[in-house]
Amino acid sequence: MPQSTTAAQRTHRLVPSPAGRVHLVEQGTGPLVLLVHGFPESWYSWRHQLPALAAAGYRAVAVDVRGYGRSSRPADVAAYRMLDLVEDNAAVVRALGEESAVVVGHDWGATIAAHSALVRPDVFRAAALLGVPYTPPGGPRPSEVFAGMGGEGRDEFYVSYFQEPGRAEAEIEPDVRGWLAGFYAALSADAMPGPGDPGPHFTGPGGTLRERFPAGALPGWLDEAGLDVYAGEFERTGLTGALNRYRNMDRDWEDLARFAGAPLTVPSLFIGGALDASTTWLADAIKAFPDTLPGLSGTHLLDGCGHWVQQERPAEVNRLLTDWLAALPA
């Protein structure tokens, strides 16, 4: 099948990183905008933003985060700590011959983007966060917080469920495509569980996440061909690299202790889905933005939108991003 014009304009590259290599997809010329995906996705989650940013005069670069796609996948669980991912991002900027970049992230990518700008403001001059609000490092140890989040019947929170190497993999990898379809649907506005349904964020005692996925069609933002792209990557790589990000949250807590309570002072933007658990559970974090994001230009909660914000609402997100980028200091 011939490539579309948009796809033909993309350039796939491998660049060196501390772990070995980062795979990226690039489109356009101009100031560098680095796009960082979340779980369980890839560079492909930015397919709608690459051409829009390129058309607006930017060099848009979407990476496969360490552990995903064609990027390196170290065997050591500790190799997926936040500081290593920050250095991967800085390495991409250097490898592209640039001195600085604006970083944009979604889901885990939002947290990686925020910490990239927090730890390396010399490289990352602004940060846009999609889906997951910024919360400064510090506070209680994460594993203790997540262990206490079980609901009735002592359900287990998904972050705790992901901690033991091999456990979630045993659920997902026998049917990667089916699992991804259910997970994407469960966090989408048009297919997420109704009120009172714990959805995919909790497992019952001895259960699996998949048991609580909605049955039925794919969410409206994802077609069969798109699902094939995601499934094909994870069928090839497995899920361990992606899941290892969750297995480093206590290490991050220790590594980032020197930044405890620190605001993110670079120019920033937040876009989230009004129906996303990440914005409802972390509503207090959003209320704290005047203190934690003093460079914030706007908070945009999109009505009727779920977790996959830049894929569920690409036109709206593209407009918000390009307007914000255009207003940034040169």
Side-chain angles (χ1 to χ4, degrees):
M1 180 180 296
Q3 282 190 315
S4 69
T5 302
T6 297
Q9 293 169 345
R10 299 178 190 145
T11 301
H12 289 253
R13 298 177 60 180
L14 297 174
V15 299
S17 76
R21 68 177 183 272
V22 170
H23 169 246
L24 58 85
V25 180
E26 180 177 3
Q27 188 166 350
T29 58
L32 178 60
V33 179
L34 189 66
L35 304 167
V36 187
H37 67 80
F39 175 89
E41 301 177 89
S42 74
W43 74 267
Y44 186 73
S45 67
W46 301 105
R47 62 196 177 279
H48 303 298
Q49 284 67 52
L50 287 165
L53 293 173
Y58 298 95
R59 185 182 187 185
V61 173
V63 298
D64 279 338
V65 173
R66 180 184 298 211
Y68 289 81
R70 294 169 58 194
S71 293
S72 291
R73 298 188 302 280
D76 184 5
V77 173
Y80 296 84
R81 64 210 313 154
M82 182 60 68
L83 289 179
D84 287 340
L85 302 181
V86 168
E87 288 310 309
D88 282 350
N89 283 349
V92 168
V93 176
R94 290 193 299 270
L96 294 174
E98 304 283 357
E99 294 183 357
S100 68
V102 174
V103 62
V104 179
H106 169 255
D107 182 80
W108 261 122
T111 306
I112 297 168
H115 285 84
S116 294
L118 178 69
V119 176
R120 296 296 307 271
D122 57 315
V123 177
F124 299 101
R125 62 188 180 91
L129 314 180
L130 277 60
V132 176
Y134 175 66
T135 55
R141 183 178 289 271
S143 59
E144 296 172 359
V145 172
F146 297 127
M149 290 184 67
E152 293 183 11
R154 300 312 303 165
D155 285 358
E156 185 176 16
F157 193 51
Y158 77 103
V159 176
S160 298
Y161 178 72
F162 285 167
Q163 292 305 304
E164 181 184 343
R167 185 182 178 198
E169 289 92 326
E171 172 187 343
I172 302 168
E173 292 185 0
D175 177 19
V176 169
R177 193 177 192 280
W179 193 92
L180 290 174
F183 189 76
Y184 294 148
L187 275 64
S188 300
D190 58 356
M192 64 175 51
D197 188 326
H201 296 99
F202 294 89
T203 66
T208 64
L209 293 175
R210 185 170 188 158
E211 292 169 359
R212 293 181 172 175
F213 291 168
L218 291 178
W221 59 267
L222 183 65
D223 60 17
E224 296 287 348
L227 180 59
D228 285 343
V229 173
Y230 285 124
E233 290 289 82
F234 288 112
E235 287 167 353
R236 179 174 57 80
T237 65
L239 271 291
T240 296
L243 289 162
N244 279 345
R245 173 82 287 272
Y246 291 92
R247 297 165 183 161
N248 278 277
M249 298 179 79
D250 280 353
R251 290 187 183 92
D252 296 340
W253 181 77
E254 295 167 358
D255 289 346
L256 295 165
R258 69 186 186 276
F259 295 100
L264 181 61
T265 58
V266 301
S268 57
L269 175 74
F270 181 75
I271 307 171
L275 300 179
D276 186 1
S278 297
T279 61
T280 55
W281 288 346
L282 295 174
D284 287 344
I286 294 173
K287 290 178 183 176
F289 280 171
D291 297 318
T292 61
L293 291 178
L296 184 71
S297 66
T299 296
H300 304 272
L301 294 178
L302 307 186
D303 289 339
C305 184
H307 181 66
W308 316 104
V309 58
Q310 80 270 29
Q311 298 179 86
E312 292 188 49
R313 296 288 186 80
E316 217 166 335
V317 169
N318 292 347
R319 178 182 58 79
L320 291 169
L321 284 177
T322 54
D323 287 352
W324 173 70
L325 288 165
L328 289 176

